[in-house]
Amino acid sequence: MRVQVNGTSLYVDVEGAALEPDGYTMREKPTLLLLHGGPGHDHSIFKPAYGQLADLVQIVYVDQRGNGRSQSSDPATWNLDQWGDDVRALCDTLGIVKPIVLGWSWGGAVAMSYASRHPDHPAKLILQSTVARWDLDRIVEGFRAEAGEEAATAAKAFLTEGTPETFAAFGQLCAPAYSPDPNFPAESDIQAMTRIIQNLELTMSFMSTARFDLTARLASIRCPALVVAGTRDPITPLSTAREIVDGLPGARLEVFERSGHFIPDTEGERFFSLLRSFITG
């Protein structure tokens, strides 16, 4: 379905009922709002894996402003403050109260922007493989450590120039380093990536100009937060997770020793068990 939010139309999908029969009454489940990465991608990266949580929560998937199946929008509105405010406005439009918001990668930055601008709104935050502060040198070093000098050079070129040529080189030399699994990308990974509807203009524009720093705003976030990170993640290294936890009061850090950027692929059983515990705890 499409939902009008802050002057644009967002594509939204829902999995699971909000109300379920429970004896003589109806039991209300919390809402889990999933914010995808990118930017420029869509929500399909979460499917089907995150659907296993639908017995605990009603899952709301959204293609964020300018992303995926959502309406093309003014590039002037492609910024973290606007994307964060869109989360609040989407919840208000759909009648979602106290959502649990999970942000993966760039979606985690959106989640932190939202929670810092609307601190009384979320019930909980799950920050998966993400950053609060854009640090180009740290990212380049991450790719150098995981994939060597060529990958580091390609990462720096894409993240400063943002051209079709540098994007292609990034995909060839850097994308395989997102996971330490020797079988990555497997057929299932290729299928997931092929399913994505991508706004390349947004991806290249934002990634080559992203210079954000949310660290000073983390202290204003009031809800419980779970931060998860893989030790082999080149683009959101473990140090970025520790930086978030240092600035976010009461945040809990969980480290996945065998994972890169795609934790559900490499340590899925532990990952989803952790999410279930945090959601119900």
Side-chain angles (χ1 to χ4, degrees):
M1 62 179 163
R2 298 189 178 275
V3 180
Q4 291 295 318
V5 170
N6 288 339
T8 192
S9 173
L10 303 183
Y11 183 86
V12 177
D13 202 4
V14 178
E15 185 169 3
L19 289 171
E20 290 189 340
D22 185 8
Y24 292 100
T25 187
M26 297 293 286
R27 176 173 61 91
E28 184 174 4
K29 295 189 297 187
T31 297
L32 175 65
L33 177 61
L34 300 179
L35 301 178
H36 60 79
H41 292 180
D42 67 12
H43 73 278
S44 65
I45 192 69
F46 292 117
K47 294 178 176 178
Y50 288 71
Q52 65 188 274
L53 300 172
D55 63 317
L56 289 182
V57 293
Q58 182 181 56
I59 303 172
V60 174
Y61 306 91
V62 58
D63 290 355
Q64 299 177 65
R65 173 184 295 261
N67 290 254
R69 294 165 179 79
S70 289
Q71 178 184 351
S72 179
S73 56
D74 182 354
T77 66
W78 297 345
N79 59 76
L80 287 174
D81 284 352
Q82 182 64 71
W83 281 311
D85 288 347
D86 286 349
V87 174
R88 170 63 189 264
L90 175 65
C91 289
D92 289 347
T93 300
L94 295 178
I96 298 171
V97 178
K98 289 294 181 182
I100 301 167
V101 178
L102 182 151
W104 182 2
S105 193
W106 163 77
V110 174
M112 286 180 273
S113 173
Y114 147 74
S116 65
R117 291 170 68 81
H118 307 279
D120 295 323
H121 196 258
K124 297 178 181 180
L125 283 185
I126 301 170
L127 303 173
Q128 178 187 340
S129 305
T130 190
V131 297
R133 178 175 63 87
W134 186 263
D135 186 332
L136 176 62
D137 292 338
R138 178 164 57 184
I139 294 170
V140 170
E141 287 304 313
F143 281 106
R144 180 176 286 113
E146 287 298 320
E149 194 61 39
E150 275 193 295
T153 301
K156 186 171 184 177
F158 170 57
L159 297 174
T160 53
E161 300 172 25
T163 64
E165 293 76 18
T166 59
F167 178 71
F170 182 87
Q172 179 183 0
L173 297 169
C174 300
Y178 274 60
S179 175
D181 185 343
N183 297 316
F184 178 84
E187 181 63 27
S188 59
D189 298 310
I190 295 171
Q191 290 174 357
M193 294 172 190
T194 303
R195 286 195 296 264
I196 293 173
I197 293 178
Q198 186 168 8
N199 180 344
L200 285 176
E201 179 190 1
L202 172 52
T203 300
M204 291 189 289
S205 170
F206 186 85
M207 294 296 277
S208 62
T209 60
R211 301 295 180 265
F212 62 85
D213 188 346
L214 301 173
T215 53
R217 291 163 52 175
L218 295 176
S220 65
I221 297 175
R222 298 172 188 162
C223 65
L226 172 66
V227 181
V228 296
T231 61
R232 301 287 302 277
D233 188 340
I235 196 160
T236 57
L238 182 56
S239 61
T240 67
R242 291 184 172 133
E243 186 172 72
I244 293 169
V245 171
D246 287 345
L248 208 168
R252 169 186 172 188
L253 174 63
E254 289 287 338
V255 178
F256 289 76
E257 299 288 346
R258 296 187 290 106
S259 293
H261 203 58
F262 296 95
I263 295 171
D265 292 356
T266 45
E267 297 180 79
E269 184 174 349
R270 180 191 161 203
F271 175 77
F272 284 108
S273 176
L274 175 65
L275 261 56
R276 297 179 75 87
S277 176
F278 182 72
I279 288 168
T280 59

